[in-house]
Amino acid sequence: MLLNQLSENSKNLFLNLEVFLANVDGEYSESEDRIIRMHCKEMGLEIIQYNENVMLEDIFKNINSEMTVKEKKIIFIDLLAVVFIDGVYDDREK
């Protein structure tokens, strides 16, 4: 709903974080895949593959330096959806 308001760079940062988050517990579920695909469609992006070499600290650093407060609030809401969509709330997702 609100992801289309993000800048192009912020959309890509969000997608990287979302894919990382969906894979952090080692269980990439069908429901997580479905919501990520839905978000990609909303943002006009192609889905990306999980890259285990991407460091969470780098994603956060880029988000903190490049996103506005409004954009951070938008992604927070949609990240909660991917955390809870599979019915499993793993400690690593915190």
Side-chain angles (χ1 to χ4, degrees):
M1 292 182 290
L2 300 173
L3 293 174
N4 59 3
Q5 295 180 23
L6 300 176
S7 70
E8 288 304 309
N9 190 49
S10 293
K11 288 176 183 178
N12 286 301
L13 289 170
F14 166 74
L15 182 56
N16 276 288
L17 182 55
E18 184 176 43
V19 169
F20 181 92
L21 185 60
N23 286 281
V24 75
D25 61 359
E27 300 281 333
Y28 187 75
S29 71
E30 184 178 317
S31 57
E32 288 170 326
D33 181 66
R34 192 170 45 251
I35 198 164
I36 289 172
R37 288 182 184 280
M38 182 182 72
H39 288 159
C40 285
K41 184 176 180 180
E42 178 183 348
M43 295 185 293
L45 299 176
E46 295 292 322
I47 194 164
I48 60 172
Q49 297 298 313
Y50 174 64
N51 180 350
E52 60 188 38
N53 295 321
V54 172
M55 301 299 296
L56 184 60
E57 293 79 18
D58 292 336
I59 296 172
F60 284 151
K61 179 181 173 186
N62 290 328
I63 286 172
N64 282 326
S65 66
E66 298 179 29
M67 282 190 177
T68 65
V69 172
K70 179 182 177 181
E71 289 177 319
K72 289 175 188 175
K73 289 178 182 179
I74 290 170
I75 69 165
F76 179 75
I77 293 166
D78 285 296
L79 288 173
L80 287 176
V82 82
V83 167
F84 293 112
I85 194 80
D86 62 357
V88 178
Y89 185 51
D90 189 274
D91 283 340
R92 292 169 284 196
E93 293 176 324
K94 290 179 184 180

